Amino acid sequence: MARFSRENKATRVAPVRRRSVARTAAERPAPRRRAADAPYHHGDLHEALLKAAEQVLERDGLPGLTLRAVAREAGVSHAAPTHHFGDLTGLVSELAAIGFRQFGVAMAAADASAATPSEKGVASARAYVAYAEAHPGMYGLMFRSERLDYSRPSLHEASEASFAGLARGVGVSQISRESLSLDQAAAIASAWSLVHGFTMLLLDGRLSKILKLLPEGTTPETLLTAMLRLSAGRPPRP
């Protein structure tokens, strides 16, 4: 009789335990999916990849900018960048287009903030250097033509607009798409050479010796302004 009772009890309890286990399994949260399992979780993956690429570029430099690194940064499948940009050239070309647009906006704002031609030139030059200091990776990419595909419309249009902004900064407001006068070309090339050369020396740390020898508190912007004044034919301050 006791044996029968124990067996009967076990029979009654077993279904309850099965229901409990089933309920626990149902209530247990589903395991989190890895990024590689959900490659398209972004609302706008194209923009998310470009943002991730800029972050990788500024943190790791151009050598660290790979399709896999961008995918990891964005938290998506390693195939996603290829799907959207084709290859690394396509990705960096679209990224450089963003840089040129940002650069152009900064130059236009500087130009609009100044009144006279000479003030516009100084303001534009300072904006040029300030952008490069804030985005050294992007700035370096923008001038690595061997890595870029200028046949892509976005990059071509952005770089053309940026060049027009540079020309406005030195007083060449009207640029023909077919030709420049010698004086126009000389003004643009001279200003560009000075500011770009200064920027590269600054980013590479090559001006640190000169800056240390200057009076305390002298900034790179102060040095640049003095250089622009000399290039305009005005004597240096005593």
Side-chain angles (χ1 to χ4, degrees), residues 13-138:
V13 171
V16 175
R17 292 180 62 189
R18 284 196 295 270
R19 286 197 299 271
S20 177
V21 171
R23 185 169 60 249
T24 302
E27 293 171 354
R28 185 181 301 123
R32 295 181 63 184
R33 299 174 68 186
R34 294 177 301 171
D37 298 329
Y40 299 107
H41 67 279
H42 289 281
D44 189 341
L45 186 55
H46 186 275
E47 293 302 316
L49 287 168
L50 287 171
K51 185 176 181 179
E54 184 174 359
Q55 292 169 339
V56 172
L57 176 64
E58 296 297 348
R59 185 185 64 232
D60 303 330
L62 190 55
L65 183 61
T66 65
L67 294 178
R68 284 185 176 271
V70 171
R72 285 195 302 270
E73 187 74 19
V76 298
S77 164
H78 70 269
T82 302
H83 175 75
H84 282 265
F85 302 100
D87 55 17
L88 184 59
T89 296
L91 173 62
V92 297
S93 296
E94 292 300 320
L95 186 59
I98 293 175
F100 276 116
R101 285 194 290 270
Q102 294 173 342
F103 188 59
V105 169
M107 296 284 285
D111 183 80
S113 69
T116 67
S118 60
E119 290 173 347
K120 288 179 180 293
V122 172
S124 295
R126 286 186 168 183
Y128 189 112
V129 176
Y131 179 81
E133 285 187 291
H135 310 278
M138 184 75 87

Side-chain angles (χ1 to χ4, degrees), residues 31-237:
R32 295 181 63 184
R33 299 174 68 186
R34 294 177 301 171
D37 298 329
Y40 299 107
H41 67 279
H42 289 281
D44 189 341
L45 186 55
H46 186 275
E47 293 302 316
L49 287 168
L50 287 171
K51 185 176 181 179
E54 184 174 359
Q55 292 169 339
V56 172
L57 176 64
E58 296 297 348
R59 185 185 64 232
D60 303 330
L62 190 55
L65 183 61
T66 65
L67 294 178
R68 284 185 176 271
V70 171
R72 285 195 302 270
E73 187 74 19
V76 298
S77 164
H78 70 269
T82 302
H83 175 75
H84 282 265
F85 302 100
D87 55 17
L88 184 59
T89 296
L91 173 62
V92 297
S93 296
E94 292 300 320
L95 186 59
I98 293 175
F100 276 116
R101 285 194 290 270
Q102 294 173 342
F103 188 59
V105 169
M107 296 284 285
D111 183 80
S113 69
T116 67
S118 60
E119 290 173 347
K120 288 179 180 293
V122 172
S124 295
R126 286 186 168 183
Y128 189 112
V129 176
Y131 179 81
E133 285 187 291
H135 310 278
M138 184 75 87
Y139 180 80
L141 174 63
M142 288 158 54
F143 292 97
R144 291 292 298 273
S145 298
E146 78 279 5
R147 298 293 299 271
L148 305 178
D149 179 9
Y150 278 90
S151 68
R152 299 177 78 94
S154 59
L155 178 57
H156 178 75
E157 293 169 8
S159 63
E160 288 289 305
S162 175
F163 179 75
L166 176 67
R168 285 194 304 271
V170 296
V172 183
S173 57
Q174 299 296 326
I175 300 179
S176 169
R177 290 186 177 272
E178 289 77 26
S179 63
L180 287 170
S181 70
L182 181 58
D183 286 345
Q184 286 177 326
I188 295 171
S190 177
W192 197 357
S193 298
L194 188 153
V195 180
H196 181 70
F198 177 87
T199 300
M200 294 305 298
L201 289 171
L202 182 63
L203 293 180
D204 290 342
R206 299 300 182 89
L207 293 177
S208 57
K209 176 69 172 179
I210 293 176
L211 290 169
K212 286 180 181 178
L213 295 174
L214 288 170
E216 186 177 354
T218 303
T219 65
E221 290 75 18
T222 305
L223 177 59
L224 175 63
T225 301
M227 292 170 59
L228 294 169
R229 186 169 59 248
L230 282 177
S231 71
R234 282 172 286 196
R237 293 177 180 174

